[in-house]
Amino acid sequence: MSPEGRSQRIAEWARNWNAGLTRFLRRRLPGQIDAEDLAQEVFARLLRIEKLDAIEEPQAYLYRMASNVAAEWRMRACYSKPHGSQELDQLVAATTPESLLSEAQFGDQLNCALQAMRPMVRAVIYLKLRDGMSHEEIAGHLGITNRMVRRMLTAGYAQLRRSIVLD
Amino acid sequence: MQSGNEDFSRGDPTLQHASQAAAHWLATLSDENCSDAERRQFFEWLRSSTRHVDEFLSLSRLTRSASNRAL
């Protein structure tokens, strides 16, 4: 694989920020690397930004920042151990039994969480996550207020977080 | 298959509180009518604890994964 192709695939993995990349990083950097460490780094950078109020899309901004941190760690990891590319290629190319299992587990937990939701909460979650509707569209579709959409979405997100085990 | 989230079943109140707040902020920020004042409040909340950053990123990742699947 060309260096450009590899870095694109690595960037894609960093963006998805999945367990495989975390494991890869963990093996290549001293000490334990996990989402909490990444959050610490993001937090430290957030504290250095003066004009946070001017940021238009906070979630996208934050996610980009987290992706950048992950990518920087990946760069450092490559410099510290240059012969890891073969393993990384295998990692990005293969759908291993382990990742399939993890995917299946995620699906099971997601379905359980959805089934346990109140019908209106489930409907709002479907319309938001599956159909990508705006809050106003959801409100119009279900005949509820925007305020209710926020409340239902909050309840649904909290339930997903409680029910699904993260890496 | 694991039947739930161990961190939550252990009943860590700080985690539960941070998680609930993260859910609230994710729902608020995805509202096209989210106000500038709300965005400022979000950043105040975010900057007040690494736990908040951690929870918000975890929830964002989780909802993104859910969204990418055919629900």
Side-chain angles (χ1 to χ4, degrees):
Chain A
M1 188 189 297
S2 70
E4 294 78 20
R6 190 164 72 237
S7 60
Q8 276 176 4
R9 291 174 82 168
I10 293 168
E12 181 66 29
W13 271 64
R15 272 197 295 278
N16 290 333
W17 193 15
N18 60 28
L21 182 66
T22 307
R23 280 197 297 273
F24 178 80
L25 286 169
R26 195 171 283 155
R27 281 200 298 274
R28 266 153 190 77
L29 292 171
Q32 196 190 29
I33 298 291
D34 58 20
E36 214 163 297
D37 294 327
L38 200 150
Q40 291 266 357
E41 177 68 24
V42 170
F43 181 70
R45 291 185 190 195
L46 271 175
L47 291 175
R48 290 200 292 269
I49 297 171
E50 293 290 330
K51 296 192 173 176
L52 277 178
D53 300 355
I55 294 165
E56 292 278 322
E57 294 182 47
Q59 195 199 353
Y61 180 84
L62 195 68
Y63 217 90
R64 205 160 49 239
M65 188 190 263
S67 296
N68 288 343
V69 172
E72 284 171 29
W73 285 352
R74 193 268 309 160
M75 287 293 287
R76 275 185 248 155
C78 283
Y79 286 130
S80 68
K81 195 165 183 180
H83 301 300
S85 62
Q86 190 185 348
E87 185 185 358
L88 186 61
D89 280 348
Q90 287 170 356
L91 189 70
V92 296
T95 306
T96 63
E98 188 186 357
S99 70
L100 277 174
L101 182 67
S102 154
E103 182 74 2
Q105 278 180 339
F106 180 79
D108 286 343
Q109 291 174 4
L110 180 60
N111 286 333
C112 283
L114 288 165
Q115 292 310 311
M117 285 174 190
R118 284 182 288 140
M120 187 60 91
V121 172
R122 185 163 62 234
V124 171
I125 288 287
Y126 270 125
L127 294 177
K128 184 72 193 169
L129 296 185
R130 185 191 58 190
D131 302 338
M133 282 190 185
S134 70
H135 283 221
E136 280 185 9
E137 285 170 335
I138 296 171
H141 198 77
L142 297 175
I144 58 178
T145 63
N146 275 28
R147 193 182 173 84
M148 285 292 283
V149 173
R150 280 195 190 192
R151 282 174 54 188
M152 297 293 152
L153 211 47
T154 299
Y157 286 158
Q159 187 144 0
L160 288 177
R161 181 70 182 91
R162 278 195 302 275
S163 307
I164 296 176
V165 178
L166 297 170
D167 302 310
Chain B
M1 179 187 133
Q2 287 173 273
S3 61
N5 199 331
E6 286 178 21
D7 289 336
F8 283 93
S9 62
R10 278 200 298 271
D12 178 345
T14 314
L15 174 63
Q16 287 174 359
H17 192 259
S19 163
Q20 189 64 36
H24 161 75
W25 283 119
L26 191 59
T28 301
L29 291 171
S30 73
D31 184 348
E32 58 276 20
N33 295 314
C34 173
S35 69
D36 290 344
E38 283 172 322
R39 268 198 288 270
R40 277 196 298 278
Q41 286 165 9
F42 164 70
F43 276 118
E44 278 173 26
W45 171 78
L46 197 65
R47 290 174 96 158
S48 66
S49 165
T50 52
R51 189 113 216 216
H52 296 172
V53 179
D54 194 20
E55 264 308 301
F56 190 78
L57 288 173
S58 295
L59 183 63
S60 296
R61 183 180 146 229
L62 196 162
T63 55
R64 176 186 282 204
S65 297
S67 182
N68 287 340
R69 288 180 67 92
L71 287 176

